[in-house]
Every structure is written in C-alpha cells, then in structure tokens.
Amino acid sequence: MADSPPEPLTPPPLETVSIMLDWFLSPQHAVILIAHEKGFFQQQRLDVDWQIPGDPSLPTKLLAAGEVDLALSRQTQLHLAAHEGAPLTRIASLVKTPLNAIVAINSDDDAELETLGSRPLGFATQEGQQLVVPLLISETVRQSEQYAKPRAIHFEAVESLTEGGIEIIADAFFHTLPSRLATQGLSATVIRYDDLSIPRYDGLIVMANRNTLGRRMDTWIRFVGALEDAANWIIENPQLALDRVTEAYPRLKDSLTDDHWQDLLRRLSLTPAALDVHRYQAMETFLQQRGITSEMLPVEQLAIDPHLGQ
C-alpha cells in the first residue's frame, strides 16, 4: 500500500476582538492600522474589527457596558470614567504625550490665557469640559453679563469655528485641526496644556473592561504584542508605513503631511504595555486637588501592564 500524505494541519481559528476608536479614523490610529495591514494581528491569531463612534462619549460607555471588547481613549477620560464607577482599565499606551490642546482662532500667538475664557468657547470631550474649561474661565468672567456658557461641539470642530460662533476649542487635535482651518482661510493658535499646569498624560490608550481581565488576559497580551510589533515596524520603516497607511486609507492623505507624520512618530510608544505608575498617580492627585474628584483611586485599579498580569 502506498503511503498517502498526511492531511494538512488546519490553522487555529482567529479570535475576534472588537475595538471602538476614540474618534474618526485619524493619523493617531496608525499603529492599529499598520497592525492590521501588516498582518501582526493575524500572527497573534486575532481578527480585529474596529468601530467608529458617533459621539466622543460612546467608547467608554460601550466598553463599560460590555458592548465592545476594547476601546481607545485618553488617560484623562479613563480617570473620570473610573471615578464614575466604570470598570475600565488601561492595558496599553499607543501615544505617550497629549494629542489635544487649546486651539483658538482670531488670536495672537502671545495671547494671554486669562483673556481666552471671555471668548466663545467649545469643548469636545468630558475631560475638556471638566479639566480644561474651568482653568480658562475665571470667576470674574463667569459673573459678567457677557458670559456665555461653553458649548459641546462633539465632532464638529471645523464647523463650530467657521460657522458656529465658537472661537476657542478647549480640547482640539492640534495635529490636524490647524491645517483643516487653513483650507478655510483661518489661522489658528495652539496652546499646550503644559501652560495650564495639567500633568503630562498618555494621549492615546487602549482600555479593557476590568471584568474581562481574568478570562481574556491571554488575548489582551497577544493584542498588545501585535501593537508593539506594529509600532516598532513603523519606526524602522517610517516612509513605508506612511505609504501603506495612505494607500489603504486615502482619506488620511490630507492630514498626514510629512511634518505631522514625523511629529506623531516621536510620540509613539515602542513598548505599549509598559506602565508609568507615577503618571497615573500624578493625574489622580491633580484631579483631587482641583476638586474634580473626592478620592484618589489606586493605580492598579486604573491601569495594568498585561505582561505582569496585574
């Protein structure tokens, strides 16, 4: 009898992971996009499906409710959500510095911070409303007859500044908004949060529902491993990565100028799992001192390094 060749081994099925982005598809999501395009997720036996929120507040809400597996957000939003009882924890940091800043039109580059709060002001996120706006608006401005309550602008930053009567956004993406405004004939002034003494924080993080850590830790370790492979591939191949992203997602071409891309590369975390404990403690201290929260949460409730299993 002739020996027949063995049946080919069937590869194990991919595990599906749903992740909700924090915003419209943007350059800041480059690590996620490259992990998908280069097959790093697939190498970790993962089929990652991302969703775009209809509102900036949705990712934390849906993750807390178990409607998605993971969500992107900012460290500041994680703190506020955790203090409201949401069972969320950070498992990775994609961008290690804030991507948001105050963006003002009709303003001089040397405009005084004290004058900004008296002008029409908008915010897009919960942390913009609770952290930044109170630092801009003095009690004197609040008591004046001309005071107008800051407005939520959701995703409509350009429309609010060009047509909505808003002159300042407390928490705008400073990488992309000024260039988008320039196409409308408007110049923009960017004021970083360092000028407001807001502690430095992780600008883009991956959050998991804390209730999933016990049963899905292996999945999150593999997910973070794919992110690390993607981040390091981008740094080693910056032009190839830029070409790959813009070819696969043409709508990002206008917002990925060389200057923006190079600036973003400098901010990427090459070890996404690594946790800066002091950074999370500092933000908790800031929130309590400002009266935004009444207690300090332990770091282990807010963030973990999945590789350490804690």
Side-chain angles (χ1 to χ4, degrees):
M1 295 179 61
D3 291 333
S4 58
E7 292 290 329
L9 295 176
T10 303
L14 300 181
E15 181 179 359
T16 300
V17 172
S18 62
I19 181 168
M20 177 158 279
L21 305 183
D22 58 319
W23 210 261
F24 294 128
L25 200 62
S26 304
Q28 68 200 50
H29 303 132
V31 172
I32 299 280
L33 303 182
I34 288 296
H36 173 75
E37 293 300 318
K38 287 290 295 178
F40 294 127
F41 284 137
Q42 191 169 19
Q43 290 173 16
Q44 296 288 351
R45 308 190 310 279
L46 299 174
D47 178 18
V48 175
D49 169 51
W50 60 74
Q51 304 171 26
I52 296 173
D55 182 273
S57 66
L58 281 180
T60 51
K61 292 178 180 177
L62 294 182
L63 180 60
E67 298 294 326
V68 292
D69 297 321
L70 300 170
L72 298 186
S73 192
R74 300 152 300 282
Q75 179 190 334
T76 43
Q77 177 60 36
L78 168 64
H79 287 267
L80 295 176
H83 278 279
E84 292 175 353
L88 308 180
T89 191
R90 167 264 186 215
I91 63 168
S93 299
L94 299 181
V95 179
K96 295 292 287 182
T97 60
L99 292 172
N100 301 79
I102 301 163
V103 173
I105 60 171
N106 306 325
S107 183
D108 297 329
D109 288 341
D110 58 353
E112 295 291 332
L113 280 172
E114 291 76 12
T115 68
L116 297 180
S118 60
R119 296 166 56 190
L121 184 63
F123 59 88
T125 64
Q126 181 185 15
E127 61 264 41
Q129 180 184 21
Q130 295 190 24
L131 272 66
V132 184
V133 169
L135 295 174
L136 292 177
I137 303 178
S138 66
E139 191 59 33
T140 301
V141 170
R142 291 182 188 277
Q143 294 177 357
S144 69
E145 294 182 359
Q146 291 77 29
Y147 172 64
K149 188 176 180 180
R151 294 189 351 233
I153 63 164
H154 305 291
F155 285 132
E156 298 174 350
V158 173
E159 296 82 355
S160 297
L161 290 170
T162 56
E163 304 169 8
I166 295 292
E167 294 186 10
I168 300 168
I169 296 178
D171 49 358
F173 284 117
F174 62 80
H175 276 95
T176 56
L177 183 57
S179 59
R180 293 174 65 195
L181 291 171
T183 65
Q184 306 288 323
L186 291 173
S187 61
T189 299
V190 176
I191 302 169
R192 304 301 173 89
Y193 290 158
D194 286 347
D195 292 338
L196 294 176
S197 299
I198 295 176
R200 208 163 286 121
Y201 61 86
D202 292 351
L204 188 63
I205 62 172
V206 181
M207 302 181 301
N209 189 307
R210 217 166 41 246
N211 298 326
T212 68
L213 295 182
R215 58 187 171 82
R216 300 197 73 180
M217 183 64 81
D218 175 69
T219 302
W220 304 152
I221 290 173
R222 287 185 283 121
F223 181 87
V224 174
L227 298 180
E228 181 168 338
D229 289 342
N232 281 268
W233 189 86
I234 290 172
I235 293 300
E236 295 294 340
N237 306 276
Q239 188 59 50
L240 281 176
L242 176 60
D243 294 343
R244 193 72 175 257
V245 168
T246 53
E247 287 170 9
Y249 309 95
R251 64 181 298 271
L252 297 184
K253 278 188 178 180
D254 293 339
S255 54
L256 269 177
T257 66
D258 186 62
D259 286 344
H260 292 163
W261 182 242
Q262 294 301 322
D263 187 60
L264 181 62
L265 295 185
R266 289 191 290 269
R267 299 171 186 274
L268 294 184
S269 172
L270 299 183
T271 53
L275 173 62
D276 187 336
V277 172
H278 172 74
R279 180 169 288 197
Y280 285 75
Q281 290 173 334
M283 183 58 69
E284 280 294 295
T285 299
F286 172 80
L287 294 174
Q288 186 180 50
Q289 290 176 344
R290 292 293 305 173
I292 297 171
T293 59
S294 59
E295 61 177 341
M296 289 183 59
L297 298 177
V299 173
E300 56 267 25
Q301 181 177 334
L302 296 163
I304 65 165
D305 180 335
H307 297 316
L308 301 179
Q310 58 181 18

